[in-house]
Amino acid sequence: MEKSYGIEAARAQLGDIADHARSTGQVINLTRHGRPVAVIGPVSAIKPLAGVQVRLYLGDQDAVSYTFPDVPRIGESILVETPDGDEDFWDVVNVQWDIRPNEAPAVNVLANEPAKES
């Protein structure tokens, strides 16, 4: 199988390309006008080019900056280890982009503790 496909040509073969990538571990580039725009491959083989700097607000705590592989989505859970070694899950409830002149865009993520089941 090719290591690169034009994105238009790949559309009809996406199932076959994904099966090949999964079974062989090979990463396949999808290109547009000869330039890579996406890849298909096993998750373990795909590394983000750069992380996203996120200001994470856990409940009413002050923000803490983290680098995430991508922007968290509303409804996703984030596992956070506390200073005493416990682990708590937090649910993403809002994602806010701050765009200001002469500043890099900022991503603010608000997460709340899930409701305790009784």
Side-chain angles (χ1 to χ4, degrees):
M1 184 162 273
E2 302 284 329
K3 288 191 174 219
S4 168
Y5 280 88
I7 201 159
E8 294 295 326
R11 189 180 331 179
Q13 300 178 36
L14 281 177
D16 293 337
I17 293 170
D19 287 341
H20 178 78
R22 187 184 67 245
S23 64
T24 66
Q26 181 181 4
V27 175
I28 298 164
N29 292 309
L30 302 181
T31 62
R32 179 99 183 174
H33 305 292
R35 296 178 58 192
V37 294
V39 295
I40 295 178
V43 172
S44 60
I46 308 296
K47 304 281 188 260
L49 293 177
V52 177
Q53 193 68 28
V54 169
R55 286 192 300 243
L56 181 60
Y57 293 85
L58 300 174
D60 59 0
Q61 300 175 24
D62 290 337
V64 180
S65 289
Y66 291 101
T67 301
F68 281 72
D70 56 14
V71 177
R73 294 186 175 109
I74 293 172
E76 290 182 333
S77 292
I78 299 172
L79 179 66
V80 178
E81 185 174 335
T82 61
D84 60 3
D86 289 338
E87 293 179 334
D88 292 324
F89 280 98
W90 294 78
D91 293 335
V92 175
V93 295
N94 194 14
V95 176
Q96 173 186 318
W97 289 82
D98 291 346
I99 310 293
R100 294 188 175 94
N102 305 317
E103 291 182 23
V107 180
N108 298 299
V109 174
L110 174 62
N112 288 336
E113 282 188 285
K116 304 289 185 205
E117 294 182 21
S118 49

